[in-house]
mmCIF file of all heavy atoms in Angstrom:
data_model
loop_
_atom_site.group_PDB
_atom_site.id
_atom_site.type_symbol
_atom_site.label_atom_id
_atom_site.label_comp_id
_atom_site.label_asym_id
_atom_site.label_seq_id
_atom_site.Cartn_x
_atom_site.Cartn_y
_atom_site.Cartn_z
ATOM 1 N N SER A 228 82.306 308.213 -51.589
ATOM 2 C CA SER A 228 83.397 307.277 -51.576
ATOM 3 C C SER A 228 84.888 308.015 -51.667
ATOM 4 O O SER A 228 85.785 307.385 -51.240
ATOM 5 C CB SER A 228 83.251 306.335 -52.714
ATOM 6 O OG SER A 228 83.364 307.029 -53.955
ATOM 7 N N ARG A 229 84.822 309.200 -52.252
ATOM 8 C CA ARG A 229 86.073 309.951 -52.256
ATOM 9 C C ARG A 229 86.153 311.079 -51.208
ATOM 10 O O ARG A 229 87.081 311.874 -51.147
ATOM 11 C CB ARG A 229 86.347 310.565 -53.630
ATOM 12 C CG ARG A 229 86.651 309.434 -54.707
ATOM 13 C CD ARG A 229 86.798 310.101 -56.132
ATOM 14 N NE ARG A 229 87.622 311.243 -56.100
ATOM 15 C CZ ARG A 229 88.954 311.235 -56.155
ATOM 16 N NH1 ARG A 229 89.541 310.078 -56.091
ATOM 17 N NH2 ARG A 229 89.677 312.413 -56.169
ATOM 18 N N SER A 230 85.112 311.163 -50.296
ATOM 19 C CA SER A 230 85.136 312.213 -49.382
ATOM 20 C C SER A 230 86.033 312.060 -48.110
ATOM 21 O O SER A 230 86.489 310.938 -47.950
ATOM 22 C CB SER A 230 83.621 312.468 -48.882
ATOM 23 O OG SER A 230 82.768 312.826 -50.012
ATOM 24 N N ILE A 231 86.225 313.086 -47.585
ATOM 25 C CA ILE A 231 86.861 313.042 -46.217
ATOM 26 C C ILE A 231 85.780 313.279 -45.251
ATOM 27 O O ILE A 231 85.109 314.283 -45.229
ATOM 28 C CB ILE A 231 88.038 314.161 -46.081
ATOM 29 C CG1 ILE A 231 89.140 313.742 -47.017
ATOM 30 C CG2 ILE A 231 88.582 314.153 -44.751
ATOM 31 C CD1 ILE A 231 90.137 314.841 -47.336
ATOM 32 N N MET A 232 85.667 312.357 -44.254
ATOM 33 C CA MET A 232 84.523 312.419 -43.335
ATOM 34 C C MET A 232 85.054 312.828 -42.020
ATOM 35 O O MET A 232 86.140 312.329 -41.554
ATOM 36 C CB MET A 232 83.781 310.953 -43.181
ATOM 37 C CG MET A 232 83.411 310.367 -44.440
ATOM 38 S SD MET A 232 82.065 311.253 -45.351
ATOM 39 C CE MET A 232 80.791 310.994 -44.111
ATOM 40 N N GLY A 233 84.311 313.783 -41.444
ATOM 41 C CA GLY A 233 84.812 314.227 -40.057
ATOM 42 C C GLY A 233 83.819 314.414 -39.078
ATOM 43 O O GLY A 233 82.475 314.360 -39.287
ATOM 44 N N TRP A 234 84.227 314.516 -37.923
ATOM 45 C CA TRP A 234 83.371 314.874 -36.712
ATOM 46 C C TRP A 234 83.895 316.241 -36.085
ATOM 47 O O TRP A 234 85.038 316.335 -35.848
ATOM 48 C CB TRP A 234 83.412 313.789 -35.629
ATOM 49 C CG TRP A 234 82.605 312.577 -36.087
ATOM 50 C CD1 TRP A 234 83.139 311.461 -36.713
ATOM 51 C CD2 TRP A 234 81.297 312.279 -35.855
ATOM 52 N NE1 TRP A 234 82.122 310.563 -36.916
ATOM 53 C CE2 TRP A 234 80.924 311.079 -36.446
ATOM 54 C CE3 TRP A 234 80.217 312.963 -35.218
ATOM 55 C CZ2 TRP A 234 79.711 310.456 -36.385
ATOM 56 C CZ3 TRP A 234 78.922 312.512 -35.229
ATOM 57 C CH2 TRP A 234 78.674 311.241 -35.724
ATOM 58 N N PHE A 235 82.946 316.994 -35.765
ATOM 59 C CA PHE A 235 83.134 318.351 -35.010
ATOM 60 C C PHE A 235 82.169 318.341 -33.753
ATOM 61 O O PHE A 235 81.260 317.566 -33.738
ATOM 62 C CB PHE A 235 82.872 319.510 -35.959
ATOM 63 C CG PHE A 235 83.847 319.758 -36.976
ATOM 64 C CD1 PHE A 235 83.961 318.978 -38.086
ATOM 65 C CD2 PHE A 235 84.671 320.868 -36.796
ATOM 66 C CE1 PHE A 235 84.935 319.341 -39.096
ATOM 67 C CE2 PHE A 235 85.730 321.136 -37.756
ATOM 68 C CZ PHE A 235 85.785 320.379 -38.870
ATOM 69 N N ARG A 236 82.515 319.189 -32.892
ATOM 70 C CA ARG A 236 81.530 319.397 -31.793
ATOM 71 C C ARG A 236 81.525 320.838 -31.365
ATOM 72 O O ARG A 236 82.447 321.598 -31.709
ATOM 73 C CB ARG A 236 81.972 318.530 -30.593
ATOM 74 C CG ARG A 236 83.392 318.991 -29.935
ATOM 75 C CD ARG A 236 83.756 318.046 -28.878
ATOM 76 N NE ARG A 236 85.015 318.410 -28.168
ATOM 77 C CZ ARG A 236 85.508 317.706 -27.211
ATOM 78 N NH1 ARG A 236 85.126 316.476 -26.874
ATOM 79 N NH2 ARG A 236 86.693 318.190 -26.669
ATOM 80 N N GLN A 237 80.320 321.119 -30.693
ATOM 81 C CA GLN A 237 80.193 322.478 -30.159
ATOM 82 C C GLN A 237 79.605 322.544 -28.797
ATOM 83 O O GLN A 237 78.549 322.205 -28.526
ATOM 84 C CB GLN A 237 79.261 323.311 -31.151
ATOM 85 C CG GLN A 237 79.141 324.752 -30.731
ATOM 86 C CD GLN A 237 78.565 325.548 -31.906
ATOM 87 O OE1 GLN A 237 77.866 325.093 -32.807
ATOM 88 N NE2 GLN A 237 78.665 326.865 -31.793
ATOM 89 N N PRO A 238 80.525 322.702 -27.874
ATOM 90 C CA PRO A 238 80.102 322.760 -26.447
ATOM 91 C C PRO A 238 79.266 324.052 -26.233
ATOM 92 O O PRO A 238 79.294 324.930 -27.061
ATOM 93 C CB PRO A 238 81.482 322.781 -25.695
ATOM 94 C CG PRO A 238 82.546 322.544 -26.674
ATOM 95 C CD PRO A 238 82.055 322.853 -28.050
ATOM 96 N N PRO A 239 78.411 323.962 -25.117
ATOM 97 C CA PRO A 239 77.498 325.040 -24.896
ATOM 98 C C PRO A 239 78.318 326.418 -24.808
ATOM 99 O O PRO A 239 79.381 326.523 -23.986
ATOM 100 C CB PRO A 239 76.957 324.582 -23.535
ATOM 101 C CG PRO A 239 77.034 323.253 -23.401
ATOM 102 C CD PRO A 239 78.346 322.924 -24.220
ATOM 103 N N GLY A 240 77.951 327.465 -25.473
ATOM 104 C CA GLY A 240 78.517 328.763 -25.363
ATOM 105 C C GLY A 240 79.862 328.935 -26.040
ATOM 106 O O GLY A 240 80.563 329.830 -25.884
ATOM 107 N N LYS A 241 80.287 327.778 -26.760
ATOM 108 C CA LYS A 241 81.636 327.845 -27.335
ATOM 109 C C LYS A 241 81.609 327.616 -28.990
ATOM 110 O O LYS A 241 80.547 327.304 -29.362
ATOM 111 C CB LYS A 241 82.611 326.801 -26.703
ATOM 112 C CG LYS A 241 82.780 327.029 -25.253
ATOM 113 C CD LYS A 241 83.807 326.065 -24.741
ATOM 114 C CE LYS A 241 84.123 326.171 -23.272
ATOM 115 N NZ LYS A 241 85.027 325.190 -22.732
ATOM 116 N N GLU A 242 82.703 327.829 -29.505
ATOM 117 C CA GLU A 242 82.732 327.616 -31.001
ATOM 118 C C GLU A 242 82.856 326.235 -31.342
ATOM 119 O O GLU A 242 83.356 325.333 -30.518
ATOM 120 C CB GLU A 242 83.878 328.372 -31.548
ATOM 121 C CG GLU A 242 83.794 329.898 -31.426
ATOM 122 C CD GLU A 242 84.911 330.687 -32.125
ATOM 123 O OE1 GLU A 242 85.845 330.000 -32.574
ATOM 124 O OE2 GLU A 242 84.866 331.895 -32.278
ATOM 125 N N ARG A 243 82.388 325.875 -32.568
ATOM 126 C CA ARG A 243 82.588 324.508 -33.050
ATOM 127 C C ARG A 243 84.109 324.127 -33.127
ATOM 128 O O ARG A 243 84.844 324.994 -33.560
ATOM 129 C CB ARG A 243 81.913 324.389 -34.409
ATOM 130 C CG ARG A 243 81.762 323.022 -34.908
ATOM 131 C CD ARG A 243 80.802 322.984 -36.156
ATOM 132 N NE ARG A 243 79.489 323.510 -35.876
ATOM 133 C CZ ARG A 243 78.555 323.366 -36.708
ATOM 134 N NH1 ARG A 243 78.619 322.798 -37.908
ATOM 135 N NH2 ARG A 243 77.314 323.863 -36.426
ATOM 136 N N GLU A 244 84.441 322.913 -32.730
ATOM 137 C CA GLU A 244 85.814 322.472 -32.758
ATOM 138 C C GLU A 244 85.986 321.142 -33.458
ATOM 139 O O GLU A 244 85.014 320.335 -33.383
ATOM 140 C CB GLU A 244 86.471 322.454 -31.485
ATOM 141 C CG GLU A 244 85.843 321.410 -30.554
ATOM 142 C CD GLU A 244 86.605 321.350 -29.187
ATOM 143 O OE1 GLU A 244 87.694 321.886 -29.016
ATOM 144 O OE2 GLU A 244 86.065 320.563 -28.188
ATOM 145 N N PHE A 245 87.181 320.922 -34.008
ATOM 146 C CA PHE A 245 87.386 319.625 -34.692
ATOM 147 C C PHE A 245 87.590 318.602 -33.808
ATOM 148 O O PHE A 245 88.257 318.680 -32.709
ATOM 149 C CB PHE A 245 88.739 319.845 -35.587
ATOM 150 C CG PHE A 245 89.085 318.579 -36.252
ATOM 151 C CD1 PHE A 245 88.434 318.156 -37.306
ATOM 152 C CD2 PHE A 245 90.174 317.831 -35.671
ATOM 153 C CE1 PHE A 245 88.952 317.007 -38.031
ATOM 154 C CE2 PHE A 245 90.692 316.711 -36.373
ATOM 155 C CZ PHE A 245 90.042 316.336 -37.461
ATOM 156 N N VAL A 246 87.060 317.383 -34.041
ATOM 157 C CA VAL A 246 87.316 316.203 -33.182
ATOM 158 C C VAL A 246 88.169 315.154 -33.952
ATOM 159 O O VAL A 246 89.163 314.679 -33.501
ATOM 160 C CB VAL A 246 85.907 315.531 -32.864
ATOM 161 C CG1 VAL A 246 86.114 314.260 -32.030
ATOM 162 C CG2 VAL A 246 85.107 316.453 -32.039
ATOM 163 N N ALA A 247 87.666 314.676 -35.118
ATOM 164 C CA ALA A 247 88.441 313.737 -35.852
ATOM 165 C C ALA A 247 87.960 313.615 -37.318
ATOM 166 O O ALA A 247 86.801 314.129 -37.599
ATOM 167 C CB ALA A 247 88.186 312.247 -35.236
ATOM 168 N N ALA A 248 88.689 313.061 -38.071
ATOM 169 C CA ALA A 248 88.425 312.879 -39.596
ATOM 170 C C ALA A 248 89.230 311.734 -40.151
ATOM 171 O O ALA A 248 90.167 311.400 -39.748
ATOM 172 C CB ALA A 248 88.714 314.224 -40.353
ATOM 173 N N LYS A 249 88.697 311.297 -41.277
ATOM 174 C CA LYS A 249 89.383 310.214 -41.991
ATOM 175 C C LYS A 249 89.124 310.242 -43.464
ATOM 176 O O LYS A 249 87.901 310.693 -43.853
ATOM 177 C CB LYS A 249 88.986 308.812 -41.495
ATOM 178 C CG LYS A 249 87.755 308.277 -41.937
ATOM 179 C CD LYS A 249 87.477 306.948 -41.324
ATOM 180 C CE LYS A 249 88.456 305.799 -41.796
ATOM 181 N NZ LYS A 249 88.368 305.533 -43.221
ATOM 182 N N THR A 250 89.923 309.950 -44.260
ATOM 183 C CA THR A 250 89.706 309.738 -45.676
ATOM 184 C C THR A 250 89.037 308.443 -46.017
ATOM 185 O O THR A 250 89.298 307.408 -45.281
ATOM 186 C CB THR A 250 91.038 309.858 -46.537
ATOM 187 O OG1 THR A 250 91.814 308.698 -46.103
ATOM 188 C CG2 THR A 250 91.843 311.057 -46.196
ATOM 189 N N ARG A 251 88.142 308.356 -46.873
ATOM 190 C CA ARG A 251 87.554 307.148 -47.226
ATOM 191 C C ARG A 251 88.227 306.395 -48.299
ATOM 192 O O ARG A 251 88.259 305.118 -48.385
ATOM 193 C CB ARG A 251 86.092 307.389 -47.731
ATOM 194 C CG ARG A 251 85.211 308.117 -46.804
ATOM 195 C CD ARG A 251 83.753 307.886 -46.967
ATOM 196 N NE ARG A 251 83.362 306.582 -46.484
ATOM 197 C CZ ARG A 251 82.016 306.145 -46.643
ATOM 198 N NH1 ARG A 251 81.127 306.888 -47.215
ATOM 199 N NH2 ARG A 251 81.653 305.025 -46.084
ATOM 200 N N SER A 252 89.041 307.032 -49.049
ATOM 201 C CA SER A 252 89.781 306.354 -50.125
ATOM 202 C C SER A 252 91.088 305.697 -49.668
ATOM 203 O O SER A 252 91.491 304.669 -50.264
ATOM 204 C CB SER A 252 90.144 307.332 -51.217
ATOM 205 O OG SER A 252 90.917 308.484 -50.686
ATOM 206 N N SER A 253 91.736 306.273 -48.625
ATOM 207 C CA SER A 253 93.036 305.663 -48.178
ATOM 208 C C SER A 253 92.985 305.473 -46.686
ATOM 209 O O SER A 253 94.031 304.920 -46.079
ATOM 210 C CB SER A 253 94.072 306.625 -48.523
ATOM 211 O OG SER A 253 93.857 307.901 -47.844
ATOM 212 N N SER A 254 91.999 305.669 -45.922
ATOM 213 C CA SER A 254 91.813 305.455 -44.495
ATOM 214 C C SER A 254 92.841 306.144 -43.585
ATOM 215 O O SER A 254 93.299 305.615 -42.668
ATOM 216 C CB SER A 254 91.995 303.975 -44.280
ATOM 217 O OG SER A 254 90.712 303.340 -44.717
ATOM 218 N N VAL A 255 93.325 307.257 -44.157
ATOM 219 C CA VAL A 255 94.224 308.154 -43.307
ATOM 220 C C VAL A 255 93.277 308.833 -42.247
ATOM 221 O O VAL A 255 92.185 309.286 -42.488
ATOM 222 C CB VAL A 255 94.874 309.231 -44.169
ATOM 223 C CG1 VAL A 255 95.629 310.185 -43.302
ATOM 224 C CG2 VAL A 255 95.784 308.600 -45.036
ATOM 225 N N THR A 256 93.759 308.898 -40.926
ATOM 226 C CA THR A 256 92.957 309.604 -39.882
ATOM 227 C C THR A 256 93.660 310.722 -39.286
ATOM 228 O O THR A 256 95.010 310.806 -39.438
ATOM 229 C CB THR A 256 92.577 308.516 -38.752
ATOM 230 O OG1 THR A 256 93.837 307.941 -38.341
ATOM 231 C CG2 THR A 256 91.769 307.342 -39.377
ATOM 232 N N TYR A 257 92.862 311.583 -38.701
ATOM 233 C CA TYR A 257 93.439 312.709 -37.993
ATOM 234 C C TYR A 257 92.609 313.035 -36.919
ATOM 235 O O TYR A 257 91.453 313.004 -37.081
ATOM 236 C CB TYR A 257 93.573 313.963 -38.977
ATOM 237 C CG TYR A 257 94.466 315.135 -38.485
ATOM 238 C CD1 TYR A 257 95.837 315.067 -38.696
ATOM 239 C CD2 TYR A 257 93.864 316.180 -37.834
ATOM 240 C CE1 TYR A 257 96.533 316.147 -38.263
ATOM 241 C CE2 TYR A 257 94.593 317.244 -37.508
ATOM 242 C CZ TYR A 257 96.002 317.152 -37.670
ATOM 243 O OH TYR A 257 96.760 318.177 -37.182
ATOM 244 N N TYR A 258 93.290 313.348 -35.635
ATOM 245 C CA TYR A 258 92.441 313.611 -34.451
ATOM 246 C C TYR A 258 92.809 314.922 -33.826
ATOM 247 O O TYR A 258 94.004 315.476 -33.984
ATOM 248 C CB TYR A 258 92.822 312.423 -33.419
ATOM 249 C CG TYR A 258 92.283 311.144 -33.869
ATOM 250 C CD1 TYR A 258 93.102 310.311 -34.554
ATOM 251 C CD2 TYR A 258 90.907 310.758 -33.517
ATOM 252 C CE1 TYR A 258 92.617 308.969 -34.866
ATOM 253 C CE2 TYR A 258 90.437 309.600 -34.007
ATOM 254 C CZ TYR A 258 91.297 308.650 -34.633
ATOM 255 O OH TYR A 258 90.853 307.458 -35.043
ATOM 256 N N GLY A 259 91.706 315.562 -33.179
ATOM 257 C CA GLY A 259 92.060 316.764 -32.529
ATOM 258 C C GLY A 259 92.755 316.468 -31.113
ATOM 259 O O GLY A 259 92.729 315.529 -30.593
ATOM 260 N N ASP A 260 93.576 317.450 -30.696
ATOM 261 C CA ASP A 260 94.468 317.299 -29.517
ATOM 262 C C ASP A 260 93.556 316.929 -28.253
ATOM 263 O O ASP A 260 94.033 316.231 -27.421
ATOM 264 C CB ASP A 260 95.274 318.531 -29.209
ATOM 265 C CG ASP A 260 96.412 318.683 -30.306
ATOM 266 O OD1 ASP A 260 96.777 317.718 -30.918
ATOM 267 O OD2 ASP A 260 96.843 319.846 -30.444
ATOM 268 N N SER A 261 92.346 317.594 -28.219
ATOM 269 C CA SER A 261 91.573 317.421 -26.912
ATOM 270 C C SER A 261 90.988 315.939 -26.912
ATOM 271 O O SER A 261 90.541 315.571 -25.788
ATOM 272 C CB SER A 261 90.517 318.387 -26.928
ATOM 273 O OG SER A 261 89.623 318.306 -28.036
ATOM 274 N N VAL A 262 90.921 315.245 -27.891
ATOM 275 C CA VAL A 262 90.436 313.844 -27.840
ATOM 276 C C VAL A 262 91.338 312.801 -28.222
ATOM 277 O O VAL A 262 91.085 311.609 -28.158
ATOM 278 C CB VAL A 262 89.137 313.778 -28.720
ATOM 279 C CG1 VAL A 262 88.156 314.794 -28.283
ATOM 280 C CG2 VAL A 262 89.573 314.017 -30.189
ATOM 281 N N LYS A 263 92.568 313.159 -28.651
ATOM 282 C CA LYS A 263 93.574 312.160 -29.024
ATOM 283 C C LYS A 263 93.838 311.118 -28.065
ATOM 284 O O LYS A 263 94.020 311.412 -26.866
ATOM 285 C CB LYS A 263 94.827 312.842 -29.476
ATOM 286 C CG LYS A 263 95.692 312.096 -30.361
ATOM 287 C CD LYS A 263 96.916 312.847 -30.849
ATOM 288 C CE LYS A 263 96.519 314.103 -31.699
ATOM 289 N NZ LYS A 263 97.650 314.863 -32.216
ATOM 290 N N GLY A 264 93.749 309.781 -28.454
ATOM 291 C CA GLY A 264 93.952 308.692 -27.505
ATOM 292 C C GLY A 264 92.709 308.241 -26.877
ATOM 293 O O GLY A 264 92.604 307.165 -26.245
ATOM 294 N N ARG A 265 91.635 308.916 -27.021
ATOM 295 C CA ARG A 265 90.298 308.604 -26.361
ATOM 296 C C ARG A 265 89.265 308.343 -27.415
ATOM 297 O O ARG A 265 88.163 307.757 -27.062
ATOM 298 C CB ARG A 265 89.742 309.722 -25.463
ATOM 299 C CG ARG A 265 90.780 309.990 -24.273
ATOM 300 C CD ARG A 265 90.122 310.925 -23.248
ATOM 301 N NE ARG A 265 89.795 312.266 -23.786
ATOM 302 C CZ ARG A 265 88.620 312.766 -23.839
ATOM 303 N NH1 ARG A 265 87.536 312.056 -23.352
ATOM 304 N NH2 ARG A 265 88.430 314.015 -24.345
ATOM 305 N N VAL A 266 89.416 308.723 -28.700
ATOM 306 C CA VAL A 266 88.425 308.379 -29.613
ATOM 307 C C VAL A 266 88.996 307.742 -30.815
ATOM 308 O O VAL A 266 90.160 307.845 -31.175
ATOM 309 C CB VAL A 266 87.759 309.801 -30.097
ATOM 310 C CG1 VAL A 266 87.247 310.577 -28.910
ATOM 311 C CG2 VAL A 266 88.659 310.604 -30.938
ATOM 312 N N ILE A 267 88.082 306.979 -31.559
ATOM 313 C CA ILE A 267 88.605 306.350 -32.823
ATOM 314 C C ILE A 267 87.561 306.585 -33.844
ATOM 315 O O ILE A 267 86.402 306.328 -33.615
ATOM 316 C CB ILE A 267 88.763 304.730 -32.487
ATOM 317 C CG1 ILE A 267 89.793 304.538 -31.525
ATOM 318 C CG2 ILE A 267 89.067 304.139 -33.844
ATOM 319 C CD1 ILE A 267 89.991 303.109 -31.057
ATOM 320 N N ILE A 268 87.898 306.953 -35.041
ATOM 321 C CA ILE A 268 86.886 307.255 -36.123
ATOM 322 C C ILE A 268 87.124 305.961 -36.984
ATOM 323 O O ILE A 268 88.413 305.555 -37.455
ATOM 324 C CB ILE A 268 87.185 308.590 -36.870
ATOM 325 C CG1 ILE A 268 86.082 308.693 -37.938
ATOM 326 C CG2 ILE A 268 88.582 308.568 -37.362
ATOM 327 C CD1 ILE A 268 86.181 310.169 -38.488
ATOM 328 N N SER A 269 85.974 305.427 -37.514
ATOM 329 C CA SER A 269 86.130 304.271 -38.387
ATOM 330 C C SER A 269 84.930 304.261 -39.238
ATOM 331 O O SER A 269 83.993 304.982 -39.058
ATOM 332 C CB SER A 269 86.074 302.953 -37.399
ATOM 333 O OG SER A 269 84.894 302.876 -36.703
ATOM 334 N N GLU A 270 84.978 303.329 -40.231
ATOM 335 C CA GLU A 270 83.857 303.184 -41.067
ATOM 336 C C GLU A 270 83.216 301.776 -41.013
ATOM 337 O O GLU A 270 83.816 300.832 -40.703
ATOM 338 C CB GLU A 270 84.421 303.275 -42.652
ATOM 339 C CG GLU A 270 84.876 304.537 -42.975
ATOM 340 C CD GLU A 270 85.422 304.608 -44.409
ATOM 341 O OE1 GLU A 270 84.556 304.323 -45.400
ATOM 342 O OE2 GLU A 270 86.506 304.765 -44.734
ATOM 343 N N ASP A 271 81.961 301.789 -41.278
ATOM 344 C CA ASP A 271 81.186 300.603 -41.452
ATOM 345 C C ASP A 271 80.734 300.452 -42.872
ATOM 346 O O ASP A 271 79.728 301.119 -43.172
ATOM 347 C CB ASP A 271 80.028 300.391 -40.407
ATOM 348 C CG ASP A 271 79.393 299.120 -40.481
ATOM 349 O OD1 ASP A 271 79.279 298.439 -41.616
ATOM 350 O OD2 ASP A 271 78.843 298.769 -39.486
ATOM 351 N N ASN A 272 81.418 299.915 -43.724
ATOM 352 C CA ASN A 272 81.138 299.984 -45.173
ATOM 353 C C ASN A 272 79.770 299.264 -45.451
ATOM 354 O O ASN A 272 79.092 299.554 -46.341
ATOM 355 C CB ASN A 272 82.210 299.231 -46.015
ATOM 356 C CG ASN A 272 83.535 300.238 -46.053
ATOM 357 O OD1 ASN A 272 83.381 301.345 -45.958
ATOM 358 N ND2 ASN A 272 84.618 299.562 -46.030
ATOM 359 N N ALA A 273 79.454 298.290 -44.792
ATOM 360 C CA ALA A 273 78.323 297.468 -44.954
ATOM 361 C C ALA A 273 77.045 298.289 -44.678
ATOM 362 O O ALA A 273 75.923 298.231 -45.253
ATOM 363 C CB ALA A 273 78.198 296.201 -44.142
ATOM 364 N N GLU A 274 77.189 299.207 -43.617
ATOM 365 C CA GLU A 274 76.046 300.167 -43.202
ATOM 366 C C GLU A 274 76.301 301.490 -43.892
ATOM 367 O O GLU A 274 75.280 302.377 -43.675
ATOM 368 C CB GLU A 274 75.998 300.314 -41.740
ATOM 369 C CG GLU A 274 75.807 298.919 -40.984
ATOM 370 C CD GLU A 274 74.364 298.445 -41.230
ATOM 371 O OE1 GLU A 274 73.396 299.335 -41.537
ATOM 372 O OE2 GLU A 274 74.126 297.279 -41.228
ATOM 373 N N ASN A 275 77.402 301.758 -44.569
ATOM 374 C CA ASN A 275 77.759 303.055 -45.160
ATOM 375 C C ASN A 275 77.590 304.192 -44.034
ATOM 376 O O ASN A 275 77.014 305.149 -44.180
ATOM 377 C CB ASN A 275 76.712 303.476 -46.319
ATOM 378 C CG ASN A 275 77.254 304.554 -47.132
ATOM 379 O OD1 ASN A 275 78.325 304.736 -47.184
ATOM 380 N ND2 ASN A 275 76.334 305.343 -47.838
#
C-alpha cells in the first residue's frame, strides 16, 4: 500500500529500461520518454 509500483522492459539483446511507475499512496505517475503518451499505468484496487 505504500510502495511505488513500476514497469520495466528488456528488449532482446539490450539492457532493462524503465517504462512507467506510480505511487500507490498519492497516485503520482512517471513515464519513460520512449513510451510517454502511449502508455498509462493504473491501479485496480479491487483486484490488487
Side-chain angles (χ1 to χ4, degrees):
S228 61
R229 287 178 50 81
S230 296
I231 296 168
M232 307 295 294
W234 285 92
F235 285 74
R236 67 185 183 185
Q237 187 163 15
K241 297 184 179 180
E242 294 185 353
R243 193 171 297 192
E244 66 173 349
F245 173 79
V246 176
K249 75 179 299 293
T250 64
R251 300 203 79 179
S252 58
S253 60
S254 295
V255 174
T256 58
Y257 193 83
Y258 294 95
D260 290 340
S261 61
V262 301
K263 199 173 295 182
R265 298 190 297 120
V266 307
I267 298 173
I268 186 170
S269 63
E270 289 182 64
D271 185 331
N272 290 324
E274 298 292 331
N275 196 25

